[in-house]
Amino acid sequence: MLSPAILSKINQLWDRFYSGGIANTLLAMEQISYLLFMRRLDATDRDRAENADFTGIPYKTVFTVTDKEGNTLPADDLRWSSWRHLPAEDMLNHVRDKVFPFIKNLGGEGANFSARMQDAVFLIPKPSLLIEAVGILDAIYRDIDRERAEHGQVFHDTQGDIYEYLLSEIATSGKNGQFRTPRHLIQLIVAMVDPKLGDEICDPACGTGGFLLGSYQHIVTQHTSPAQRVTDENGFACGHLGDQLTDERQWQVLREQTLYGFDFDTTMVRIGLMNLMLHGIDAPNLSYQDTLGKRYDEHDRYDVVLATPPFKGSIDKGDIHEGLKLKTTKTELLFVAKIIALLRMGGRAGVIVPDGVLSGSSNAHQDLRKLLVDECQLQGVLSMPAGVFKPYAGVSTGVLFFVKGGRTDKVWFYDMTADGRSLDDKREKVKENDIPDVLARWRGRDPARDTDRAGKAFFVGVEEIRAAKYDLSINRYKQVRYEAVEHEAPGVILARLRDLEAEISREIEELGGMV
């Protein structure tokens, strides 16, 4: 999702790290994330101070330190905009000895962020590397600001985008089935599930925190005055001010008691924490945890779960939590069962799964779909085209929308064939885009009206689904409309061919006469 100009600068940044002595891509990615965090923390702090002036809600800058007497003092010298002008040697010493320890301890002793950052290490060894990296990152953000101004895009997961690109460079993306979900698909799924202020929202395989960030921005937009919103290229209304949240307690609930994420990769947890904090979430609840394992015992806990669980992963049978009764070691099946368990009764979910989950014939596949249909209210299945996860995977995928409890009567299906980007490895922007139509039809869905199975969207009754062994693939139910084509009679076609043959013979004779 990065523009060619930004990709070129990231390549420059990677080259600098490689030549500067940090050749391991994961280490380089983590060091880049720290620098991104330092820069965005400064900008975000200033933005929030300006918003506080507009809304009247008090805001205290994060750039403070406590002296030996316990006094809180301003620390503007820790801001990127202050130290970026230092000479190279002074810059390295200042960032390594003052700025990095400061960001490691944001939130104070005992805070989740500082606890997860305690084993983080600043590894940039050379002043020249640091000063080059600072210059390139400044240039990247100038490009981002320009694109945002041109396209009205306010949902940026820059660290996630850079991480995705670095992984693609070393061909390790997709290991254990892990993929970052494209930003516009996150926005679509979040809009369809429609989390509200006061909901507790979880992503049990959160990665860089894209779904949590999308949920946060969706809720903030709901509470932003229409005049303060913009509409992005996919038709989503976006607003980052939240000026209708006039009670400071509402902001506290949203930032501290709404978003919960887990991942079994410590690097992802750190990046996710920084990503959420950069977007105004002061105390993100992200933790290192294998949510399929025996040590994770939450259930009946969340109002909303949004996730892209690992595709085609597996887990040792002995490590699976005993509460998961599904007889399989496939993570794509176990995660959906876990998500059902995590939801409170009446809780709702949007989960991306590979097509195999929808149509697989094994007992475990059928048992999971039976669970979705018979013990949940399966609301809809969005079929997405192969290619939305390229260049990392070409597998076809679908999105399951369901509510824990209730009763499934009819299931809404939508056949999405375009997402506004090419379905090849380049994923370039194209005109064909079903996303606005998906959202409009979802919000206005009507079983009495949506009956045309040759169209984009239609309903299927639950008894038909049960009779099909709970198959949830759209091709099982979609009808293909064939148009009759009238052909000319064979004698007419033969006569035309004879005339054509005669004309060719005459032209050949004429050419022969000219030689």
Side-chain angles (χ1 to χ4, degrees), residues 453-468:
R453 294 199 182 181
K456 280 283 190 182
F458 55 86
F459 279 88
V460 177
V462 67
E463 292 304 328
E464 184 177 353
I465 292 173
R466 289 187 180 119

Side-chain angles (χ1 to χ4, degrees), residues 32 46 52 65 107 138 181 185 210 237 287 292 317 339 341 355 359 385 388 397 411 420 423 445 460 514:
I32 292 169
R46 295 180 188 277
V65 293
D138 276 338
T181 307
L185 297 182
S287 299
L292 297 180
K317 186 175 182 180
I339 287 167
D355 265 4
S359 59
V388 296
T397 54
V411 179
L423 298 174
R445 62 193 187 278
V460 177
M514 298 170 60

Side-chain angles (χ1 to χ4, degrees), residues 171-476:
T172 62
S173 63
K175 184 178 180 182
N176 295 325
Q178 295 173 313
F179 306 99
R180 281 193 66 255
T181 307
R183 177 188 307 131
H184 57 297
L185 297 182
I186 288 176
Q187 288 178 286
L188 174 62
I189 294 166
V190 169
M192 293 173 74
V193 176
D194 193 20
K196 304 292 187 182
L197 182 66
D199 284 339
E200 290 186 291
I201 304 164
C202 177
D203 183 345
C206 66
T208 61
F211 269 116
L212 300 178
L213 175 58
S215 298
Y216 173 79
Q217 294 183 315
H218 177 80
I219 295 171
V220 171
T221 298
Q222 290 176 334
H223 295 275
T224 296
S225 300
Q228 300 296 329
R229 301 179 189 176
V230 297
T231 301
D232 72 8
E233 59 192 352
N234 290 299
F236 295 111
C238 303
H240 66 279
L241 190 58
D243 54 299
Q244 294 178 342
L245 293 172
T246 56
D247 186 343
E248 191 173 355
R249 171 62 182 165
Q250 293 176 309
W251 279 109
Q252 184 180 3
V253 168
L254 177 57
R255 289 171 173 153
E256 299 180 14
Q257 301 171 28
T258 297
L259 308 170
Y260 300 84
F262 305 93
D263 203 279
F264 58 55
D265 187 319
T266 55
T267 300
M268 287 297 91
V269 172
R270 281 201 290 268
I271 292 173
L273 284 166
M274 290 188 287
N275 197 20
L276 295 182
M277 289 188 71
L278 288 179
H279 289 84
I281 304 165
D282 296 328
N285 300 294
L286 266 62
S287 299
Y288 169 70
Q289 185 70 255
D290 179 1
T291 49
L292 297 180
K294 294 181 179 296
R295 295 185 178 182
Y296 181 70
D297 201 32
E298 285 192 322
H299 55 86
D300 301 320
R301 171 71 171 80
Y302 298 102
D303 301 292
V304 173
V305 177
L306 300 158
T308 305
F311 294 176
K312 298 182 179 179
S314 62
I315 184 173
D316 290 339
K317 186 175 182 180
D319 294 334
I320 301 173
H321 192 281
E322 55 271 11
L324 293 174
K325 304 300 183 182
L326 211 61
K327 295 181 179 179
T328 183
T329 59
K330 295 181 178 294
T331 57
E332 66 266 30
L333 300 178
L334 290 169
F335 261 107
V336 179
K338 186 66 177 183
I339 287 167
I340 296 172
L342 286 173
L343 288 168
R344 293 187 175 110
M345 195 61 66
R348 54 207 189 277
V351 187
I352 298 179
V353 296
D355 265 4
V357 172
L358 306 178
S359 59
S361 59
S362 75
N363 290 335
H365 284 84
Q366 294 183 47
D367 288 346
L368 175 65
R369 297 196 297 268
K370 187 175 187 297
L371 187 65
L372 286 165
V373 171
D374 292 346
E375 298 187 29
C376 299
Q377 180 190 1
L378 180 60
Q379 296 176 306
V381 180
L382 171 63
S383 173
M384 296 194 295
V388 296
F389 279 97
K390 280 192 171 184
Y392 318 112
V395 62
S396 297
T397 54
V399 189
L400 297 167
F401 297 94
F402 59 90
V403 176
K404 184 173 181 177
R407 185 186 71 177
T408 302
D409 183 24
K410 292 179 180 292
V411 179
W412 182 83
F413 286 82
Y414 189 101
D415 186 14
M416 186 171 86
T417 56
D419 70 336
R421 294 184 179 272
S422 63
L423 298 174
D424 54 18
D425 287 353
K426 293 183 179 180
R427 294 292 278 151
E428 296 174 332
K429 292 181 182 179
V430 296
K431 292 182 178 180
E432 295 76 20
N433 189 357
D434 287 333
I435 287 178
D437 186 59
V438 172
L439 191 56
R441 293 205 189 199
W442 170 258
R443 289 172 171 169
R445 62 193 187 278
D446 181 357
R449 185 189 64 240
D450 300 334
T451 58
D452 181 10
R453 294 199 182 181
K456 280 283 190 182
F458 55 86
F459 279 88
V460 177
V462 67
E463 292 304 328
E464 184 177 353
I465 292 173
R466 289 187 180 119
K469 296 182 178 179
Y470 296 88
D471 194 318
L472 297 176
S473 60
I474 194 169
N475 290 335
R476 177 82 186 201

Side-chain angles (χ1 to χ4, degrees), residues 8-48:
S8 175
K9 291 180 176 65
I10 295 172
N11 285 330
Q12 292 177 32
L13 190 61
W14 170 241
D15 290 341
R16 300 298 189 275
F17 270 82
Y18 186 86
S19 60
I22 304 179
N24 182 292
T25 303
L26 293 178
L27 287 179
M29 177 272 298
E30 194 165 18
Q31 299 304 304
I32 292 169
S33 295
Y34 298 151
L35 294 177
L36 281 168
F37 185 69
M38 293 173 192
R39 191 191 190 284
R40 288 301 300 152
L41 185 65
D42 184 8
T44 302
D45 186 76
R46 295 180 188 277
D47 288 344
R48 292 184 64 182

